[in-house]
Amino acid sequence: MMNIDDLQELAANRRSIRGYDKTRDIPDEMVRKILDCARWAPSGGNGQPWEFIVIRDEKTRYEIADLFLKQQEHKKEMELAVRGDAKMTGDGFRHAPVHLIVLGDPRVKETYPVRTMLDKADSHFYTGLASATLLIHLAATSLGLASQYVSDASSPYMETMLKVLLGVPEPLKVYHLIPLGYASKPIPARPRRELDEMTHYERYDMAKYRDDREFQKFVMTASRRGYYGKRTWVEDDTNQPTDPKEAP
Ligand SMILES: Cc1cc2nc3c(=O)[nH]c(=O)nc-3n(C[C@H](O)[C@H](O)[C@H](O)COP(=O)(O)O)c2cc1C
């Protein structure tokens, strides 16, 4: 059994990798092991909502990346219109030798208790898919592989087109695309909040509560919108306002 230090190291070493080495393939056996980890994920009602498509064919991978680029156009336009700034992820994943598509079967909601069906069916469904997905990323990291969350795969345009391209039947949903391969270059860890800032003992410690200004500072510096800590924060009102209508 893995010890806590190994698990902590595994968690801390996983990265979202957006550039892949097109010269390095990965064996089928690795992919099978990764998916075998994923199927042990917990899920509401043990409904196991996940199914996986493994894609190696280069033509299909490139078609997928082209669909991604097309849906990015709308996304970028919306970012620019609302926020005046659009730092988008690219299509570097097209070079990853394997694309995994995580599908979800919403019929598993029938495994939930009646009340759960009424008030948390969607949340349980997606939590199961997220759990399996995280195990895929961790398993890939444990094998020295790079992976990425491509959640845009479930945007209406891309999901529709992917379902046609890959012959996915109704009522299955496309959840995420996960490229697998080797990183084209090492990536430093992205910022994380300090453990003591987010942990409360016995009851909520209001001294740790982030007011709106502190929260905005977090969004505009440490998050991806804050370019992972590379964006400077100015202590005046020239920073991004909270109301998108006022965005530059
Ligand atoms: C639900 C979810 C959706 C995400 N969607 C995307 C995505 O569409 N494209 C992408 O490149 N990264 C995506 N990410 C990755 C995050 O941007 C990334 O986890 C975060 O910036 C921290 O970086 P790290 O994963 O390297 O620690 C997603 C992550 C999660 C959990």
Side-chain angles (χ1 to χ4, degrees):
M1 177 77 88
M2 177 187 251
N3 70 36
I4 184 69
D5 293 329
D6 291 339
L7 181 58
Q8 198 275 344
E9 196 184 335
L10 181 64
N13 278 325
R14 186 208 50 79
R15 302 271 178 283
S16 293
I17 299 295
R18 300 177 177 119
Y20 293 82
D21 182 344
K22 60 172 117 176
T23 65
R24 290 186 75 184
D25 201 355
I26 54 178
D28 283 333
E29 189 48 34
M30 275 192 181
V31 178
R32 280 193 69 80
K33 278 208 156 135
I34 289 169
L35 296 180
D36 198 43
C37 289
R39 80 189 171 92
W40 287 100
S43 56
N46 199 25
Q48 305 164 67
W50 45 76
E51 293 195 21
F52 313 109
I53 304 183
V54 180
I55 301 155
R56 286 186 173 277
D57 179 62
E58 187 181 75
K59 182 168 170 287
T60 310
R61 286 189 285 113
Y62 274 52
E63 278 177 38
I64 290 172
D66 290 343
L67 292 175
F68 169 85
L69 284 181
K70 221 164 158 193
Q71 65 79 36
Q72 259 331 46
E73 287 170 20
H74 270 150
K75 193 175 178 183
K76 183 171 184 179
E77 192 181 336
M78 288 159 77
E79 283 296 301
L80 284 171
V82 175
R83 293 173 169 158
D85 178 24
K87 189 165 165 51
M88 313 300 289
T89 47
D91 62 335
F93 68 82
R94 74 169 66 230
H95 302 300
V98 171
H99 286 182
L100 292 181
I101 305 282
V102 180
L103 301 171
D105 190 333
R107 290 172 299 180
V108 304
K109 292 173 186 171
E110 287 177 34
T111 67
Y112 307 158
V114 172
R115 195 189 65 183
T116 307
M117 286 266 274
L118 292 171
D119 67 359
K120 318 187 234 319
D122 270 0
S123 143
H124 275 37
F125 173 62
Y126 287 113
T127 301
L129 293 173
S131 302
T133 297
L134 179 59
L135 284 176
I136 290 174
H137 290 293
L138 290 176
T141 305
S142 78
L143 292 167
L145 297 177
S147 63
Q148 179 187 358
Y149 282 87
V150 184
S151 56
D152 288 318
S154 63
S155 59
Y157 168 79
M158 195 161 169
E159 175 178 38
T160 303
M161 300 306 279
L162 278 177
K163 285 180 72 167
V164 174
L165 179 68
L166 305 172
V168 177
E170 294 298 332
L172 271 63
K173 306 278 301 166
V174 172
Y175 178 58
H176 280 185
L177 158 65
I178 305 176
L180 289 176
Y182 288 91
S184 55
K185 59 173 187 203
I187 296 291
R190 277 65 184 242
R192 290 295 193 269
R193 297 170 60 209
E194 291 300 326
L195 182 59
D196 286 334
E197 282 176 27
M198 63 181 73
T199 311
H200 308 260
Y201 296 96
E202 310 304 340
R203 50 183 284 125
Y204 195 94
D205 178 356
M206 277 308 286
K208 296 182 180 179
Y209 174 75
R210 294 181 284 174
D211 65 20
D212 289 352
R213 184 126 189 106
E214 283 172 291
F215 196 83
Q216 193 64 10
K217 181 175 178 180
F218 161 75
V219 171
M220 299 314 295
T221 57
S223 78
R224 199 167 167 275
R225 272 185 73 194
Y227 311 151
Y228 294 131
K230 294 205 187 94
R231 196 164 177 162
T232 46
W233 172 257
V234 192
E235 284 296 342
D236 63 21
D237 289 333
T238 59
N239 287 293
Q240 295 275 321
T242 40
D243 181 354
K245 285 196 292 300
E246 294 167 37

